[in-house]
Each structure stands twice: as C-alpha cells, then as structure tokens.
Amino acid sequence: MVNLLTADLNLLVALDALLMERNVTRAGARIGISQPAMSSSLQRLRRQFDDQLLTRIGSAYELTPLAQVLKEDVSQILRMVERTFDAQAVFDPALSTRSFRIVTSDYCLTALSGTLMNMLQKEAPGVQVHFDAVTPQAVERIKETLQTADLMLIPKGHFSGFPHTELFTDNWVCVTGDTSAEETLTVEEMRDARWARLFGTEVDSTLADRRVYDLQLGEKTDIIVDSFLMLPFAVAGTSRLALVQERLARMLASVAGVKIMQLPISLPTLVECAWWHPSKSPDPGHQWFRRLVARAAAELDGPMEPAAPGPIHISEPSEAERTGPLTAQRISA
C-alpha cells in the first residue's frame, strides 16, 4: 500500500495529462512543464505502476489496459481535489482568483467573448478564463471533456445526457467571394458550386452541413478548413460557397470581402448551449460562472434575437447510454 505521506501526489497531475493527451509533448504543454520534465514523470510513473502506461502503436501511442482503468479514476480524483480546495460556503466573484476552462469553437468565442470578458472585468477582476478549441476528438470523448472543463459551448443535437442551458440562436447562410452574385441562391447553383467545408467529412460536420450533404447539394468540396473563422477567407476571391453562421458572416463579410447569400432550403436553427458535467452542478462558483455566460449570451446583438437564458435541462440517456459507454456524434460549432 502506498504511503500518502511520502508519495509524490504531483505525479497524479502528470498522469492525468498523459492519459488524456497520449503524447508526452502535448501532456507537458497541458500542465505547463517541459517535454524532458514530462518524460521524467512518465518514467517515474512506469516504475510506480510497473507498467508502460503508454505503448507505441505505429506512429501513435495507445493506453495499456492498466492505463485505461486508471484514466477515469485519476480524472475524477483530481476534480474532487480541485473542488475540495476551491470549496466555499458562498462564492464571492469580486474576491475570487479562480480559473475557469471553456471548450468552444472559434465562432462561439468570437460571438461571445467580448461581452463575457467585459462582464468578468467588472464583476470578478481576479477570475481567469481559459478557452480551449473544440475538436472532433473533444466531442467524441465528451464525458472526459466535461470532466476536465467547466463548460463546453456547442449546439444542441450532437449528444445528450448532460446538464445544459440554452445560450443563443443563429441562422445559417452561404458566403461567396463572387460579390456580383445574386443575394439568393438557387438549388441548382448550390449543386453546381464548389465548396469550402469544415473538417470535410460527414461525421465531423455540423448539422447544417449534413443536411446539405444529404440533399446532395455540396458534394464538390475542394477546400477543407478546421475552423469557422477560416471559411469566409477560404472562399474570398472565388465563386466557391461556404456555410457560415449568420452572426459570424455579418461580422466578417466586409473584412474577408465576401457576399452573404440566403439559402433556398431550410436548415436547422443553430441553438448554442453551455454543457457541463453533473458533478459540477452543486458548486457555487460554477453556478455563478454559468449564469454569467448565460447573461453574456442574452446581451448579444445579431441576425436573430438572442434566446433568453434558458432553463437547465438534463436529457434522459438512451438505453445504449445507460447500458454501454457514452458515444457522441463528432462535430463542431
């Protein structure tokens, strides 16, 4: 049995980063230490557990069976430790120096961060916010993402079973670099056009992209990007089309030199939500922070009226979610 009085509990932080990133360099960057220091921590952890923990398979590292067992336990232990040290009977934002982590897309960051950070400066000048980019992998591993982040900002329709609150809504439009084009597209023009798309595959796409794909209207894709902010600039100076949120399109149209075009088809309204792990619901600091994010969203100006801060929901898990590992459709917005 390990003696906790002599054990180096800092190794748990390194272990958590290694199990999440499966890469020594990225794990070091995640917790702010150098690659040699993280390599040293990995060697100590291997001796501690008498297990390789990470094994090279081809060009990537995979978790050993023991590491798979440790992964969720270590993450939960660290979150419990953080909550223990952060625990307060009453959270006072004006005096707090707490750091909150949000996983979000560049679209949502662009739309929301200015209002949010102005509110934060006035009400909680000592609080920090760390923004991480949402990736297909973050959505695919949603449970782990929500365990390590305070909030994930992503639209409805990609997973269920976690608490969330609605923030704001948006429409989808097309943008093109052909500034002489008509303002309303036809179905034939959509079918004949070349496209720029996010990520480029159906499983990684937005719900709107999937709708266009299902209608066989956006099959001629020859530009692939990995962020929404890149889409208007990717089609600038060309006759290509890209699906972009209307709020973002109006912010970037003049800068990128693109024209906004209305669609001839109906696409799902984007309902942006804040999601979190249920274990964080009782935390007074977390309650304050998610209310702040909802208030910032309610003040947004844009092409659609912002949704009022919505009620908190906990979606009922499906039978598959109750009986097997949680999965999520990969996306991002």
Side-chain angles (χ1 to χ4, degrees):
M1 180 176 293
V2 175
N3 185 342
L4 292 179
L5 295 177
T6 58
D8 184 356
L9 299 183
N10 286 322
L11 285 176
L12 285 177
V13 178
L15 178 59
D16 181 58
L18 286 163
L19 298 182
M20 288 294 181
E21 297 293 343
R22 306 183 191 190
N23 178 283
V24 172
T25 302
R26 291 200 304 269
R30 185 185 183 104
I31 62 174
I33 66 174
S34 66
Q35 190 270 348
M38 182 56 78
S39 293
S40 175
S41 295
L42 176 57
Q43 294 305 318
R44 294 173 62 191
L45 287 163
R46 283 171 167 169
R47 291 194 296 271
Q48 176 70 49
F49 289 100
D50 192 23
D51 187 270
Q52 286 297 297
L53 300 176
L54 297 176
T55 57
R56 183 178 288 277
I57 306 294
S59 61
Y61 281 95
E62 297 293 337
L63 302 184
T64 66
L66 175 60
Q68 292 280 6
V69 172
L70 291 171
K71 188 175 182 181
E72 186 167 334
D73 289 343
V74 171
S75 178
Q76 290 180 348
I77 288 168
L78 288 178
R79 302 297 82 76
M80 289 175 66
V81 170
E82 288 175 354
R83 288 197 298 273
T84 298
F85 282 101
D86 284 339
Q88 296 176 344
V90 177
F91 178 79
D92 186 346
L95 300 178
S96 177
T97 57
R98 183 164 168 177
S99 178
F100 293 93
R101 180 172 171 240
I102 297 179
V103 177
T104 184
S105 67
D106 56 351
Y107 153 69
C108 196
L109 177 65
T110 301
L112 192 61
S113 64
T115 305
L116 175 63
M117 299 313 291
N118 282 333
M119 286 183 168
L120 204 64
Q121 184 174 347
K122 293 176 183 177
E123 300 178 26
V127 167
Q128 294 183 333
V129 180
H130 185 125
F131 292 100
D132 281 352
V134 65
T135 64
Q137 293 73 29
V139 180
E140 189 176 58
R141 296 153 56 181
I142 182 60
K143 186 176 181 180
E144 298 166 9
T145 301
L146 294 181
Q147 284 175 332
T148 57
D150 289 288
L151 292 174
M152 185 174 191
L153 308 187
I154 196 170
K156 274 187 175 180
H158 301 289
F159 50 80
S160 61
F162 292 98
H164 64 279
T165 188
E166 295 178 12
L167 297 178
F168 61 88
T169 59
D170 209 344
N171 291 319
W172 291 95
V173 296
C174 264
V175 294
T176 180
D178 181 2
T179 56
S180 65
E182 296 292 332
E183 291 188 358
T184 300
L185 278 167
T186 66
V187 170
E188 291 74 20
E189 287 171 334
M190 291 183 70
R191 183 176 291 113
D192 294 340
R194 294 188 176 276
W195 288 75
R197 293 184 64 183
L198 186 75
F199 299 128
T201 65
E202 184 180 3
V203 294
D204 290 336
S205 61
T206 66
L207 299 180
D209 271 317
R210 288 182 210 164
R211 173 67 174 158
V212 170
Y213 182 88
D214 289 343
L215 294 173
Q216 299 180 325
L217 299 178
E219 296 185 324
K220 298 178 181 178
T221 297
D222 59 1
I223 295 180
I224 308 297
V225 300
D226 61 5
S227 79
F228 288 109
L229 287 175
M230 295 172 69
L231 282 169
F233 298 95
V235 302
T238 78
S239 59
R240 290 178 177 82
L241 302 177
L243 274 179
V244 180
Q245 302 89 343
E246 186 174 358
R247 182 176 280 108
L248 185 63
R250 294 193 182 281
M251 294 173 70
L252 295 180
S254 60
V255 177
V258 296
K259 185 169 188 174
I260 299 173
M261 307 175 76
Q262 298 302 317
L263 293 158
I265 60 173
S266 176
L267 293 180
T269 297
L270 185 153
V271 182
E272 197 75 32
C273 296
W275 304 78
W276 64 92
H277 195 276
S279 65
K280 299 175 182 179
S281 292
D283 178 356
H286 195 274
Q287 292 173 4
W288 167 82
F289 185 64
R290 60 185 188 250
R291 285 196 300 268
L292 184 77
V293 172
R295 283 171 47 213
E299 291 195 6
L300 291 182
D301 294 323
M304 297 186 66
E305 288 296 322
I312 292 172
H313 303 281
I314 300 181
S315 306
E316 287 297 325
S318 66
E319 181 63 25
E321 290 171 330
R322 287 193 293 268
T323 59
L326 181 76
T327 59
Q329 291 188 353
R330 297 166 65 187
I331 102 93
S332 221

